[in-house]
Amino acid sequence: MFGIVRPCSHRLGEGLKTQWMAHLCGLCLALRGDHGQFARVVTNYDGLLVSVLTEAQAERTTDWRRTAGPCPLRGMRTASVARGEGARLAAAVSLVLASAKVRDHVADGDGLLARKPVASAARRLATSWGRAGARTGSDLGFDTAVLVDAVDRQLGIEALAGPGTPLLTVTEPTETATAAAFAHTAVLAGRPGNIEPLAEAGRLFGRLAHLLDAVEDRADDAASGAWNPLTATGTSLPEARRLAEDALHGIRLALREVDFVDGRLARLLLVHELRRSVDRAFGTVPVCAAHQHGGPPQQGNPYGGGAGNPYGGAGGNPYGGGNPFGGGGAYGGSGGGPGGFGGVPQPQPPRRRGFWAGCGMFWLLCCTCQLCCAKEYEGPWSRKKREGCCRDCDCCDACDCCDC
Protein backbone atom coordinates (compact mmCIF):
# COMPACT_ATOMS: atom_id res chain seq x y z
CA MET A 1 0.00 0.00 0.00
CA PHE A 2 2.41 2.71 -1.14
CA GLY A 3 1.20 6.07 -2.31
CA ILE A 4 -1.92 6.16 -4.48
CA VAL A 5 -3.88 8.38 -2.06
CA ARG A 6 -1.94 11.61 -1.83
CA PRO A 7 -4.21 14.63 -1.30
CA CYS A 8 -3.10 18.23 -1.61
CA SER A 9 -3.52 20.49 1.40
CA HIS A 10 -5.80 23.02 -0.29
CA ARG A 11 -8.38 20.30 -0.99
CA LEU A 12 -8.30 18.99 2.56
CA GLY A 13 -8.92 22.30 4.29
CA GLU A 14 -7.17 23.24 7.49
CA GLY A 15 -9.05 20.88 9.80
CA LEU A 16 -8.72 17.71 7.73
CA LYS A 17 -5.17 18.62 6.75
CA THR A 18 -4.24 18.70 10.43
CA GLN A 19 -5.85 15.29 10.95
CA TRP A 20 -4.14 13.81 7.90
CA MET A 21 -0.72 15.07 8.96
CA ALA A 22 -1.36 13.75 12.47
CA HIS A 23 -1.83 10.26 11.07
CA LEU A 24 1.18 10.51 8.76
CA CYS A 25 3.43 11.68 11.59
CA GLY A 26 1.84 9.11 13.90
CA LEU A 27 2.74 6.27 11.52
CA CYS A 28 6.30 7.55 11.20
CA LEU A 29 6.75 7.84 14.96
CA ALA A 30 5.09 4.48 15.62
CA LEU A 31 7.65 2.90 13.31
CA ARG A 32 10.45 4.63 15.16
CA GLY A 33 9.07 3.86 18.61
CA ASP A 34 8.41 0.16 18.03
CA HIS A 35 11.07 -0.72 15.48
CA GLY A 36 13.90 1.81 15.53
CA GLN A 37 14.93 4.92 13.65
CA PHE A 38 15.70 3.31 10.30
CA ALA A 39 12.24 1.70 10.11
CA ARG A 40 10.82 5.17 9.37
CA VAL A 41 11.98 4.75 5.77
CA VAL A 42 8.89 2.56 5.11
CA THR A 43 6.44 5.35 6.06
CA ASN A 44 3.95 5.75 3.25
CA TYR A 45 0.76 7.58 2.38
CA ASP A 46 -1.49 4.57 1.95
CA GLY A 47 -0.34 2.88 5.15
CA LEU A 48 -1.81 5.72 7.17
CA LEU A 49 -5.29 4.76 5.88
CA VAL A 50 -5.22 1.96 8.48
CA SER A 51 -4.72 4.56 11.21
CA VAL A 52 -7.38 6.86 9.71
CA LEU A 53 -9.98 4.07 9.54
CA THR A 54 -9.29 2.93 13.10
CA GLU A 55 -9.72 6.41 14.49
CA ALA A 56 -12.78 7.14 12.33
CA GLN A 57 -14.64 4.25 14.01
CA ALA A 58 -13.49 4.82 17.60
CA GLU A 59 -14.99 7.01 20.29
CA ARG A 60 -12.85 10.04 21.04
CA THR A 61 -10.65 9.80 24.12
CA THR A 62 -8.21 12.15 25.79
CA ASP A 63 -5.17 10.14 24.71
CA TRP A 64 -5.82 9.83 20.96
CA ARG A 65 -3.27 12.59 20.22
CA ARG A 66 0.11 13.55 21.62
CA THR A 67 2.48 16.42 20.93
CA ALA A 68 5.58 15.34 19.03
CA GLY A 69 8.84 17.24 19.28
CA PRO A 70 10.51 19.22 16.49
CA CYS A 71 11.32 17.24 13.35
CA PRO A 72 13.45 18.26 10.34
CA LEU A 73 10.76 16.93 8.03
CA ARG A 74 8.29 19.41 9.54
CA GLY A 75 10.71 22.32 9.38
CA MET A 76 11.69 21.75 13.05
CA ARG A 77 8.15 22.36 14.25
CA THR A 78 6.21 20.43 16.86
CA ALA A 79 2.93 18.77 15.89
CA SER A 80 -0.07 16.94 17.29
CA VAL A 81 0.21 13.34 16.08
CA ALA A 82 -1.98 10.25 16.20
CA ARG A 83 -1.15 7.60 18.73
CA GLY A 84 -2.52 4.24 19.75
CA GLU A 85 -3.45 0.95 18.16
CA GLY A 86 -4.35 2.32 14.71
CA ALA A 87 -0.91 3.87 14.20
CA ARG A 88 0.78 0.71 15.49
CA LEU A 89 -1.23 -1.52 13.15
CA ALA A 90 -0.35 0.75 10.22
CA ALA A 91 3.32 0.49 11.21
CA ALA A 92 3.19 -3.31 11.48
CA VAL A 93 1.51 -3.69 8.06
CA SER A 94 3.99 -1.33 6.38
CA LEU A 95 6.98 -3.03 7.98
CA VAL A 96 5.97 -6.60 7.16
CA LEU A 97 5.26 -5.78 3.52
CA ALA A 98 8.57 -3.92 3.23
CA SER A 99 10.38 -6.87 4.79
CA ALA A 100 8.87 -9.30 2.32
CA LYS A 101 9.84 -7.17 -0.67
CA VAL A 102 13.41 -6.63 0.53
CA ARG A 103 13.77 -10.41 0.71
CA ASP A 104 12.42 -10.62 -2.83
CA HIS A 105 14.99 -8.09 -4.07
CA VAL A 106 17.78 -9.98 -2.30
CA ALA A 107 16.66 -13.21 -3.98
CA ASP A 108 16.65 -11.45 -7.37
CA GLY A 109 20.07 -9.86 -6.75
CA ASP A 110 18.84 -6.39 -7.71
CA GLY A 111 21.41 -3.58 -7.85
CA LEU A 112 23.81 -3.48 -4.91
CA LEU A 113 22.00 -6.47 -3.43
CA ALA A 114 23.86 -8.65 -5.92
CA ARG A 115 26.93 -8.14 -3.71
CA LYS A 116 27.15 -10.65 -0.90
CA PRO A 117 28.00 -8.25 1.98
CA VAL A 118 25.14 -5.91 1.05
CA ALA A 119 22.74 -8.80 0.46
CA SER A 120 23.65 -10.28 3.83
CA ALA A 121 22.98 -6.97 5.60
CA ALA A 122 19.68 -6.50 3.76
CA ARG A 123 18.62 -10.05 4.60
CA ARG A 124 19.27 -9.45 8.29
CA LEU A 125 17.36 -6.17 8.12
CA ALA A 126 14.39 -7.84 6.39
CA THR A 127 14.34 -10.63 8.97
CA SER A 128 14.44 -8.10 11.80
CA TRP A 129 11.64 -6.03 10.27
CA GLY A 130 9.51 -9.09 9.63
CA ARG A 131 9.84 -10.34 13.20
CA ALA A 132 9.23 -6.88 14.66
CA GLY A 133 6.16 -6.31 12.49
CA ALA A 134 4.80 -9.76 13.37
CA ARG A 135 5.40 -9.07 17.06
CA THR A 136 3.50 -5.78 16.92
CA GLY A 137 0.72 -7.38 14.88
CA SER A 138 0.43 -10.17 17.45
CA ASP A 139 0.17 -7.60 20.25
CA LEU A 140 -2.79 -6.12 18.36
CA GLY A 141 -4.39 -9.47 17.53
CA PHE A 142 -3.49 -9.27 13.85
CA ASP A 143 -1.83 -12.22 12.12
CA THR A 144 0.71 -10.74 9.72
CA ALA A 145 1.20 -14.13 8.07
CA VAL A 146 -1.62 -13.24 5.68
CA LEU A 147 0.51 -10.36 4.34
CA VAL A 148 3.63 -12.48 3.90
CA ASP A 149 1.59 -15.20 2.20
CA ALA A 150 0.10 -12.64 -0.18
CA VAL A 151 3.55 -11.43 -1.26
CA ASP A 152 4.79 -14.99 -1.73
CA ARG A 153 1.73 -16.00 -3.77
CA GLN A 154 2.05 -12.88 -5.90
CA LEU A 155 5.41 -14.02 -7.20
CA GLY A 156 4.06 -17.44 -8.17
CA ILE A 157 0.99 -16.01 -9.86
CA GLU A 158 3.06 -13.61 -11.91
CA ALA A 159 5.35 -16.44 -13.01
CA LEU A 160 2.37 -18.42 -14.35
CA ALA A 161 0.29 -15.56 -15.79
CA GLY A 162 0.07 -15.15 -19.54
CA PRO A 163 -2.28 -14.01 -22.32
CA GLY A 164 -5.82 -14.88 -21.35
CA THR A 165 -5.16 -14.99 -17.61
CA PRO A 166 -7.86 -12.87 -15.89
CA LEU A 167 -6.32 -9.69 -14.55
CA LEU A 168 -8.19 -10.14 -11.27
CA THR A 169 -6.27 -13.38 -10.74
CA VAL A 170 -3.09 -11.32 -10.67
CA THR A 171 -4.51 -8.67 -8.31
CA GLU A 172 -6.00 -11.19 -5.86
CA PRO A 173 -3.04 -11.34 -3.40
CA THR A 174 -2.99 -7.55 -3.11
CA GLU A 175 -6.74 -7.58 -2.51
CA THR A 176 -6.44 -10.22 0.21
CA ALA A 177 -3.69 -8.35 2.07
CA THR A 178 -5.46 -4.99 2.10
CA ALA A 179 -8.81 -6.57 2.99
CA ALA A 180 -7.26 -8.15 6.09
CA ALA A 181 -5.65 -4.87 7.19
CA PHE A 182 -8.81 -2.79 6.65
CA ALA A 183 -11.03 -5.33 8.40
CA HIS A 184 -8.83 -5.44 11.50
CA THR A 185 -9.37 -1.72 12.05
CA ALA A 186 -12.96 -2.60 12.97
CA VAL A 187 -11.68 -5.13 15.51
CA LEU A 188 -9.40 -2.53 17.10
CA ALA A 189 -12.21 0.03 17.22
CA GLY A 190 -14.66 -2.46 18.76
CA ARG A 191 -17.04 -2.32 15.77
CA PRO A 192 -17.60 -5.94 14.68
CA GLY A 193 -20.42 -4.87 12.38
CA ASN A 194 -17.90 -2.97 10.27
CA ILE A 195 -15.62 -5.94 9.59
CA GLU A 196 -17.40 -7.16 6.46
CA PRO A 197 -17.87 -3.81 4.67
CA LEU A 198 -14.33 -2.71 5.50
CA ALA A 199 -12.95 -6.01 4.22
CA GLU A 200 -14.80 -5.36 0.96
CA ALA A 201 -13.51 -1.78 0.78
CA GLY A 202 -9.97 -3.03 1.46
CA ARG A 203 -10.23 -5.74 -1.18
CA LEU A 204 -11.29 -3.22 -3.82
CA PHE A 205 -8.68 -0.71 -2.67
CA GLY A 206 -6.00 -3.36 -3.16
CA ARG A 207 -7.34 -4.08 -6.64
CA LEU A 208 -7.26 -0.40 -7.50
CA ALA A 209 -3.73 0.08 -6.17
CA HIS A 210 -2.48 -2.81 -8.30
CA LEU A 211 -4.32 -1.60 -11.40
CA LEU A 212 -3.10 1.98 -11.17
CA ASP A 213 0.47 0.88 -10.61
CA ALA A 214 0.27 -1.34 -13.70
CA VAL A 215 -1.19 1.46 -15.82
CA GLU A 216 1.46 3.97 -14.77
CA ASP A 217 4.36 1.57 -15.26
CA ARG A 218 3.12 0.16 -18.57
CA ALA A 219 5.28 2.26 -20.89
CA ASP A 220 8.42 2.05 -18.73
CA ASP A 221 8.02 -1.70 -18.28
CA ALA A 222 7.64 -2.16 -22.03
CA ALA A 223 10.81 -0.16 -22.67
CA SER A 224 12.83 -2.08 -20.08
CA GLY A 225 11.33 -5.50 -20.70
CA ALA A 226 10.02 -5.72 -17.14
CA TRP A 227 6.94 -7.75 -16.25
CA ASN A 228 3.66 -5.82 -16.27
CA PRO A 229 0.22 -7.27 -15.43
CA LEU A 230 -1.56 -5.55 -18.32
CA THR A 231 0.97 -6.59 -20.93
CA ALA A 232 1.36 -10.13 -19.59
CA THR A 233 -2.38 -10.84 -19.51
CA GLY A 234 -3.20 -8.91 -22.69
CA THR A 235 -5.56 -6.56 -20.83
CA SER A 236 -6.40 -3.35 -22.70
CA LEU A 237 -6.44 0.09 -21.09
CA PRO A 238 -10.23 0.44 -21.58
CA GLU A 239 -10.74 -2.84 -19.72
CA ALA A 240 -8.37 -1.72 -16.95
CA ARG A 241 -10.32 1.54 -16.69
CA ARG A 242 -13.59 -0.38 -16.43
CA LEU A 243 -12.20 -2.49 -13.59
CA ALA A 244 -10.94 0.65 -11.85
CA GLU A 245 -14.34 2.34 -12.13
CA ASP A 246 -16.05 -0.77 -10.75
CA ALA A 247 -13.64 -0.77 -7.81
CA LEU A 248 -14.32 2.92 -7.11
CA HIS A 249 -18.06 2.30 -7.14
CA GLY A 250 -17.70 -0.72 -4.87
CA ILE A 251 -15.64 1.21 -2.33
CA ARG A 252 -18.28 3.95 -2.18
CA LEU A 253 -21.02 1.39 -1.60
CA ALA A 254 -19.00 -0.47 1.04
CA LEU A 255 -18.25 2.71 2.99
CA ARG A 256 -21.97 3.50 3.17
CA GLU A 257 -22.35 0.36 5.29
CA VAL A 258 -19.61 1.35 7.74
CA ASP A 259 -20.63 2.84 11.08
CA PHE A 260 -18.21 5.73 11.54
CA VAL A 261 -18.01 8.06 14.53
CA ASP A 262 -16.36 10.67 12.32
CA GLY A 263 -15.77 9.43 8.78
CA ARG A 264 -15.07 12.73 7.02
CA LEU A 265 -11.36 12.18 6.42
CA ALA A 266 -11.77 8.49 5.60
CA ARG A 267 -14.47 9.21 3.00
CA LEU A 268 -12.52 12.10 1.49
CA LEU A 269 -9.45 9.91 1.02
CA LEU A 270 -11.20 6.73 -0.11
CA VAL A 271 -13.85 8.33 -2.32
CA HIS A 272 -12.83 11.75 -3.61
CA GLU A 273 -9.04 11.35 -3.67
CA LEU A 274 -9.25 7.86 -5.16
CA ARG A 275 -11.32 9.32 -7.99
CA ARG A 276 -8.56 11.83 -8.67
CA SER A 277 -5.97 9.05 -8.55
CA VAL A 278 -7.81 7.08 -11.22
CA ASP A 279 -8.29 10.14 -13.43
CA ARG A 280 -4.62 11.01 -13.23
CA ALA A 281 -3.41 7.50 -13.90
CA PHE A 282 -5.52 7.31 -17.06
CA GLY A 283 -4.70 10.86 -18.17
CA THR A 284 -8.11 12.43 -17.53
CA VAL A 285 -7.15 14.85 -14.78
CA PRO A 286 -9.97 17.18 -13.69
CA VAL A 287 -9.28 20.90 -13.30
CA CYS A 288 -7.79 21.51 -9.88
CA ALA A 289 -9.45 24.21 -7.77
CA ALA A 290 -6.13 26.01 -7.42
CA HIS A 291 -6.03 26.47 -11.22
CA GLN A 292 -9.37 28.26 -11.49
CA HIS A 293 -7.47 31.54 -11.67
CA GLY A 294 -5.90 30.69 -14.98
CA GLY A 295 -3.30 27.99 -14.44
CA PRO A 296 -3.55 24.89 -16.62
CA PRO A 297 -4.25 21.54 -14.97
CA GLN A 298 -1.27 19.23 -14.75
CA GLN A 299 -1.48 15.75 -16.17
CA GLY A 300 0.81 12.83 -15.68
CA ASN A 301 1.92 10.40 -13.03
CA PRO A 302 1.26 11.60 -9.48
CA TYR A 303 2.39 8.39 -7.88
CA GLY A 304 5.95 7.94 -9.03
CA GLY A 305 8.76 8.66 -6.65
CA GLY A 306 7.41 10.09 -3.45
CA ALA A 307 6.28 13.43 -4.77
CA GLY A 308 4.94 15.49 -1.94
CA ASN A 309 5.61 12.85 0.69
CA PRO A 310 7.58 14.43 3.54
CA TYR A 311 8.20 11.14 5.25
CA GLY A 312 9.16 8.58 2.76
CA GLY A 313 8.26 5.93 0.37
CA ALA A 314 8.33 6.16 -3.25
CA GLY A 315 5.01 5.56 -4.92
CA GLY A 316 3.40 2.34 -5.98
CA ASN A 317 1.85 -0.56 -4.11
CA PRO A 318 3.58 -3.40 -2.26
CA TYR A 319 3.64 -5.56 -5.37
CA GLY A 320 4.44 -2.93 -7.95
CA GLY A 321 7.33 -0.75 -8.91
CA GLY A 322 8.68 2.60 -8.05
CA ASN A 323 9.49 1.94 -4.38
CA PRO A 324 12.50 0.51 -2.57
CA PHE A 325 10.60 -2.59 -1.55
CA GLY A 326 8.50 -3.27 -4.66
CA GLY A 327 9.22 -4.54 -8.11
CA GLY A 328 8.56 -2.47 -11.14
CA GLY A 329 11.60 -3.31 -13.15
CA ALA A 330 15.01 -1.79 -13.31
CA TYR A 331 15.88 0.15 -16.40
CA GLY A 332 16.94 -1.98 -19.21
CA GLY A 333 18.77 -0.45 -22.11
CA SER A 334 17.79 -1.22 -25.54
CA GLY A 335 19.29 1.48 -27.77
CA GLY A 336 21.18 1.35 -31.00
CA GLY A 337 24.76 0.41 -31.60
CA PRO A 338 27.70 2.77 -31.55
CA GLY A 339 27.18 4.38 -34.93
CA GLY A 340 28.84 3.03 -38.08
CA PHE A 341 26.54 0.89 -40.19
CA GLY A 342 23.64 0.73 -37.73
CA GLY A 343 22.45 4.25 -37.02
CA VAL A 344 23.20 6.64 -34.20
CA PRO A 345 23.66 5.71 -30.55
CA GLN A 346 20.46 5.98 -28.52
CA PRO A 347 20.50 7.75 -25.14
CA GLN A 348 20.20 5.28 -22.29
CA PRO A 349 17.91 5.92 -19.33
CA PRO A 350 19.73 6.59 -16.06
CA ARG A 351 20.58 3.53 -14.03
CA ARG A 352 18.59 2.98 -10.88
CA ARG A 353 20.28 3.66 -7.58
CA GLY A 354 20.82 0.73 -5.27
CA PHE A 355 18.75 0.31 -2.13
CA TRP A 356 21.14 2.01 0.30
CA ALA A 357 22.16 4.80 -2.07
CA GLY A 358 18.48 5.48 -2.72
CA CYS A 359 17.76 5.65 1.00
CA GLY A 360 20.48 8.25 1.43
CA MET A 361 19.18 10.31 -1.48
CA PHE A 362 15.62 10.03 -0.18
CA TRP A 363 16.55 11.56 3.16
CA LEU A 364 18.48 14.34 1.41
CA LEU A 365 15.39 15.16 -0.69
CA CYS A 366 13.22 15.13 2.43
CA CYS A 367 15.45 17.33 4.55
CA THR A 368 15.85 19.88 1.75
CA CYS A 369 12.06 19.89 1.11
CA GLN A 370 12.54 18.98 -2.55
CA LEU A 371 9.94 16.20 -2.41
CA CYS A 372 7.34 18.82 -1.61
CA CYS A 373 8.54 22.09 -3.08
CA ALA A 374 10.80 21.40 -6.05
CA LYS A 375 9.59 22.13 -9.54
CA GLU A 376 11.46 19.02 -10.62
CA TYR A 377 13.71 16.55 -8.86
CA GLU A 378 15.25 13.15 -9.50
CA GLY A 379 13.58 10.13 -7.91
CA PRO A 380 15.80 8.71 -5.14
CA TRP A 381 15.71 5.12 -6.44
CA SER A 382 14.40 5.26 -10.00
CA ARG A 383 16.21 8.52 -10.93
CA LYS A 384 13.20 9.46 -13.02
CA LYS A 385 12.24 13.11 -13.19
CA ARG A 386 9.47 13.94 -10.70
CA GLU A 387 7.46 17.03 -9.86
CA GLY A 388 6.86 18.23 -6.31
CA CYS A 389 3.21 18.14 -5.31
CA CYS A 390 3.10 21.90 -4.80
CA ARG A 391 3.78 22.41 -8.52
CA ASP A 392 0.71 20.32 -9.24
CA CYS A 393 -1.75 22.46 -7.33
CA ASP A 394 -0.20 25.87 -6.66
CA CYS A 395 -0.53 25.18 -2.95
CA CYS A 396 2.68 27.06 -2.23
CA ASP A 397 0.45 30.14 -2.63
CA ALA A 398 -2.69 28.60 -1.14
CA CYS A 399 -1.45 26.90 2.03
CA ASP A 400 1.51 26.52 4.36
CA CYS A 401 2.68 23.06 3.30
CA CYS A 402 6.00 24.51 2.14
CA ASP A 403 6.56 26.79 5.14
CA CYS A 404 9.75 25.11 6.24
Side-chain angles (χ1 to χ4, degrees):
M1 300 190 309
F2 290 87
I4 72 167
V5 180
R6 195 173 64 238
C8 184
S9 299
H10 84 274
R11 288 197 301 269
L12 288 174
E14 192 59 37
L16 293 182
K17 173 195 169 184
T18 299
Q19 288 187 41
W20 185 77
M21 288 298 299
H23 287 287
L24 190 59
C25 293
L27 169 57
C28 180
L29 294 175
L31 283 164
R32 185 193 68 179
D34 285 351
H35 311 296
Q37 192 73 248
F38 187 69
R40 299 170 78 180
V41 74
V42 307
T43 306
N44 62 90
Y45 280 119
D46 292 349
L48 68 87
L49 287 173
V50 173
S51 179
V52 169
L53 286 170
T54 303
E55 186 177 284
Q57 300 170 76
E59 297 294 340
R60 295 292 181 263
T61 62
T62 57
D63 62 348
W64 63 302
R65 290 284 188 273
R66 73 176 180 86
T67 300
C71 174
L73 305 180
R74 291 192 300 267
M76 297 308 296
R77 290 172 292 185
T78 61
S80 175
V81 303
R83 64 186 301 180
E85 294 182 332
R88 294 187 69 206
L89 178 61
V93 169
S94 299
L95 206 62
V96 171
L97 290 175
S99 168
K101 295 310 292 182
V102 169
R103 291 198 306 271
D104 178 44
H105 277 281
V106 170
D108 291 342
D110 293 336
L112 287 176
L113 296 177
R115 301 179 180 179
K116 289 185 178 180
V118 179
S120 178
R123 193 178 295 110
R124 288 195 298 270
L125 177 66
T127 300
S128 174
W129 280 356
R131 289 174 178 170
R135 187 166 56 249
T136 299
S138 179
D139 291 344
L140 300 172
F142 180 66
D143 185 3
T144 57
V146 66
L147 307 181
V148 177
D149 176 69
V151 175
D152 292 341
R153 286 190 298 108
Q154 185 73 47
L155 300 175
I157 289 172
E158 290 181 359
L160 297 175
T165 301
L167 186 59
L168 297 188
T169 299
V170 180
T171 64
E172 179 274 324
T174 316
E175 297 176 20
T176 300
T178 51
F182 275 39
H184 199 70
T185 65
V187 176
L188 294 181
R191 302 269 179 176
N194 289 344
I195 292 177
E196 186 174 342
L198 282 176
E200 177 67 5
R203 183 178 68 83
L204 295 172
F205 178 84
R207 177 183 301 178
L208 200 54
H210 205 138
L211 283 172
L212 297 188
D213 182 72
V215 169
E216 291 164 359
D217 288 348
R218 190 167 176 249
D220 288 340
D221 289 345
S224 65
W227 194 91
N228 183 281
L230 301 181
T231 305
T233 61
T235 304
S236 66
L237 284 179
E239 175 62 11
R241 181 66 186 256
R242 183 189 69 80
L243 292 172
E245 294 291 344
D246 285 349
L248 280 175
H249 183 63
I251 290 172
R252 286 196 296 269
L253 294 179
L255 290 179
R256 290 177 186 175
E257 304 299 319
V258 179
D259 181 18
F260 286 122
V261 173
D262 182 359
R264 290 177 299 162
L265 180 59
R267 289 193 178 96
L268 184 145
L269 296 176
L270 288 170
V271 177
H272 302 291
E273 291 303 325
L274 272 183
R275 158 56 59 193
R276 292 179 181 273
S277 299
V278 171
D279 287 339
R280 284 171 173 152
F282 286 93
T284 55
V285 186
V287 175
C288 181
H291 292 118
Q292 291 179 354
H293 301 291
Q298 298 289 330
Q299 297 192 6
N301 177 2
Y303 314 111
N309 182 349
Y311 295 97
N317 67 69
Y319 313 108
N323 69 74
F325 312 112
Y331 284 105
S334 57
F341 297 98
V344 298
Q346 297 297 316
Q348 299 297 308
R351 297 184 62 183
R352 292 174 63 93
R353 288 189 180 91
F355 175 71
W356 300 111
C359 288
M361 181 55 66
F362 159 71
W363 285 112
L364 176 62
L365 291 171
C366 280
C367 293
T368 56
C369 296
Q370 292 184 64
L371 290 177
C372 175
C373 307
K375 180 178 180 180
E376 186 176 78
Y377 66 92
E378 189 179 79
W381 286 277
S382 68
R383 306 185 74 151
K384 296 179 183 178
K385 295 299 182 182
R386 309 294 188 192
E387 295 177 355
C389 69
C390 296
R391 170 193 171 102
D392 215 22
C393 63
D394 293 342
C395 63
C396 284
D397 299 324
C399 70
D400 63 353
C401 72
C402 297
D403 183 19
C404 52

